[in-house]
Amino acid sequence: EAAVTQSPRSKVAVTGGKVTLSCHQTNNHDYMYWYRQDTGHGLRLIHYSYVADSTEKGDIPDGYKASRPSQENFSLILELASLSQTAVYFCASSDTRTGDTEVFFGKGTRLTVV
Amino acid sequence: GEQVEQLPSSLIVQEGASVLINCSYTDSASVYFPWYKQEPGKRLQFIIDIRSNMERKQNQRLTLLFDKKTKHLSLHITATQPGDSAIYFCSASIGNMGYKLTFGTGTSLLVDP
């Protein structure tokens, strides 16, 4: 079964500090994504990538950077964490080459900025 | 950009009842609409999808209806079970491959045994 693993699963960060969320997929998928989920909202796309060493902005990229050093790994970086970035973050992957449209999600990382 | 609205925000039903979750979108360029289920502490799980060239799709107790004219979808779940208790998300994508999903705000379903 397709697997997307996120680490850490939860984190408390200090305002102004740097936070890195990691994601690893063993699906050999080309696309990877970072979404955030806030209470009362659906998931919103932050950044995505369709190939290693390249990232694209999603719908809410401000305050976030992304890095895709290899096909399997995709990181989300908060250089200066802010209170408003407290949320649950989901990584996902999908394969646009095989005709399989399903997007596979990780279990999420709960980030609390204090 | 695309906006997806989902109603109701929550539902409580008795086991065995049927439920209907409604979803509407704004961008006529959206062509692919997957739905996901999220149980507490678990990853989002794909449950059913439909493309804009279809009107109806069924997967066991799930039936998904799509109206391109009104930009409206509805998910019908029959014979609900306690295991159906979860948050259900509608989503939309302008690509056929399911990337760059725009999600609705979710419907929290609680099925009482």
Side-chain angles (χ1 to χ4, degrees), chain B residues 29-100:
Chain B
S30 290
V31 296
Y32 178 64
F33 306 90
W35 287 66
Y36 290 83
K37 172 183 177 181
Q38 184 182 33
E39 297 174 77
K42 293 190 177 181
R43 69 186 75 240
L44 271 76
Q45 176 189 355
F46 168 85
I47 54 173
I48 194 169
D49 62 3
I50 197 164
R51 289 175 174 77
S52 58
N53 60 353
M54 303 169 66
E55 294 181 349
R56 175 191 173 101
K57 189 170 186 179
Q58 185 168 358
N59 180 5
Q60 298 182 327
R61 296 183 294 109
L62 304 178
T63 301
L64 184 54
L65 302 178
F66 175 70
D67 188 328
K68 191 173 183 177
K69 272 188 185 175
T70 61
K71 298 190 184 68
H72 184 263
L73 299 95
S74 57
L75 178 66
H76 190 214
I77 307 174
T78 58
T80 53
Q81 305 164 0
D84 294 329
S85 297
I87 301 176
Y88 290 79
F89 290 99
C90 167
S91 67
S93 171
I94 62 172
N96 274 309
M97 290 301 185
Y99 57 90
K100 294 186 66 179

Side-chain angles (χ1 to χ4, degrees), chain A residues 7-111:
Chain A
S7 62
R9 292 295 315 281
S10 68
K11 183 173 180 66
V12 178
V14 177
T15 302
K18 182 176 180 178
V19 177
T20 300
L21 306 182
S22 299
C23 179
H24 178 79
Q25 55 112 349
T26 58
N27 312 319
N28 196 33
H29 287 171
D30 53 350
Y31 272 76
M32 295 186 75
Y33 320 81
W34 277 105
Y35 288 88
R36 70 175 274 175
Q37 182 180 31
D38 299 277
T39 303
H41 291 273
L43 283 72
R44 291 180 289 172
L45 181 64
I46 307 170
H47 284 287
Y48 67 100
S49 168
Y50 55 85
V51 68
D53 295 321
S54 176
T55 63
E56 304 293 333
K57 293 181 180 179
D59 298 323
I60 53 164
D62 293 346
Y64 303 93
K65 292 168 69 173
S67 173
R68 182 119 181 244
S70 65
Q71 183 169 9
E72 298 79 20
N73 295 292
F74 192 36
S75 297
L76 185 68
I77 303 149
L78 290 67
E79 295 278 4
L80 295 169
S82 67
L83 296 174
S84 64
Q85 293 177 312
T86 293
V88 179
Y89 292 84
F90 289 95
C91 178
S93 73
S94 69
D95 195 338
T96 62
R97 301 163 298 179
T98 63
D100 183 357
T101 53
E102 186 171 345
V103 179
F104 293 89
F105 286 84
K107 291 187 175 182
T109 296
R110 183 173 297 277
L111 175 65

